[in-house]
Amino acid sequence: MSIEGLSVVVTGAGTGIGRSIAERAARSGAKVTLVGRRATALKEVAASASEAMEAVAVDVTDPDAPDRIVAAALGRFGRLDAIVNNAGLARFGPVGETDVAELTAMFEVNVRAPVALIRAALPHLEAGRGSIVNVTSVGGALSMPGRSYYGATKAALNSMTRSLAREFAPGVRVNAILPGPVDTPLWHGTGMTDDEEQALRDGLLAATPMARFGEGDEIAGWVCNLIDPELSGWVTGALIPVDGGRTA
């Protein structure tokens, strides 16, 4: 893998898939800027890596977050080669029982925040012919009764990925990884009861041919491959499901 020396920003890096991506990138020699809301979690990730990391404790929806993140990466590493938009928010429930405010909150985190960060980082990515990887969800490609708000935000980011790939070519590559069910702390903030969460998990496992949840590092490997200009230098606009066969 040839991402050694690249400066990579990973949002939602404190836990779950984001932490796996950050740690995998660091093991491969990348210089990683960790972004998340909880400073303590980011410090734990940084302490787990042999390579130096820069931590930026900020809510990605804050108006000044994009500029702070880009400035931190440039200030520490002197360059910015890749953005991984991984931070996400999930709220589940039938439309008739779920306030539209939940859709607004998810759109802010899952769509608007990635766009704002891309805009702030774009001049630097263009200068180095860098790349963007959006971590979305198979929920943006499948029908999801009871999870339509969430799926709609991920579908929006999937669509944007393909459009921006054309818009930024040939200078900046833009791709997305669509994870299937991965066991992460995201499950604990969906607004479901314990029984509802267990029923959903059971249903997802039943619909997944590989008959298990994915692991964070299985997603991280694909993300790092897409950042790698040698492996994926001719790959842009791709929406790649890594989902145990969920979309098969």
Side-chain angles (χ1 to χ4, degrees):
M1 187 175 292
S2 57
I3 67 172
E4 184 173 359
L6 297 186
S7 171
V8 180
V9 167
V10 182
T11 69
T15 60
I17 293 174
R19 176 169 183 164
S20 295
I21 294 168
E23 292 176 339
R24 180 74 172 251
R27 290 198 305 270
S28 300
K31 302 171 182 179
V32 183
T33 300
L34 309 165
V35 179
R37 291 182 293 112
R38 294 176 291 276
T40 300
L42 298 181
K43 289 178 181 178
E44 290 177 0
V45 178
S48 72
S50 58
E51 298 291 331
M53 292 181 172
E54 180 71 8
V56 183
V58 65
D59 187 322
V60 292
T61 65
D62 287 350
D64 65 341
D67 289 339
R68 285 181 58 189
I69 293 165
V70 170
L74 294 175
R76 178 67 181 276
F77 303 120
R79 57 190 289 178
L80 179 52
D81 301 290
I83 294 289
V84 180
N85 284 308
N86 167 77
L89 179 65
R91 294 286 187 269
F92 299 156
V95 168
E97 302 172 13
T98 307
D99 195 292
V100 176
E102 300 284 16
L103 173 61
T104 301
M106 283 188 284
F107 193 89
E108 284 290 298
V109 177
N110 299 347
V111 182
R112 192 194 63 78
V115 173
L117 182 55
I118 289 170
R119 282 172 51 84
L122 187 57
H124 309 286
L125 297 175
E126 288 176 330
R129 299 183 68 84
S131 67
I132 298 163
V133 180
N134 297 318
V135 180
T136 69
S137 170
V138 295
L142 298 171
S143 61
M144 298 180 62
R147 289 165 283 157
S148 58
Y149 286 173
Y150 175 75
T153 64
K154 294 300 186 176
L157 192 53
N158 287 343
S159 177
M160 189 168 299
T161 296
R162 300 183 68 183
S163 296
L164 292 183
R166 295 287 300 272
E167 185 174 325
F168 296 163
V172 177
R173 296 181 298 108
V174 189
N175 295 288
I177 295 295
L178 284 59
V182 177
D183 209 357
T184 75
L186 185 71
W187 286 96
H188 306 312
T190 60
M192 295 183 294
T193 66
D194 290 345
D195 288 344
E196 289 170 338
E197 179 182 321
Q198 189 59 53
L200 176 58
R201 292 168 68 94
D202 291 344
L204 289 172
L205 283 179
T208 301
M210 294 298 288
R212 66 173 176 85
F213 280 75
E215 299 178 2
D217 199 54
E218 293 176 303
I219 308 302
W222 281 92
V223 171
C224 290
N225 284 348
L226 286 175
I227 293 170
D228 187 338
E230 290 191 13
L231 284 176
S232 302
W234 209 45
V235 179
T236 194
L239 307 179
I240 302 175
V242 183
D243 63 357
R246 181 85 169 84
T247 55

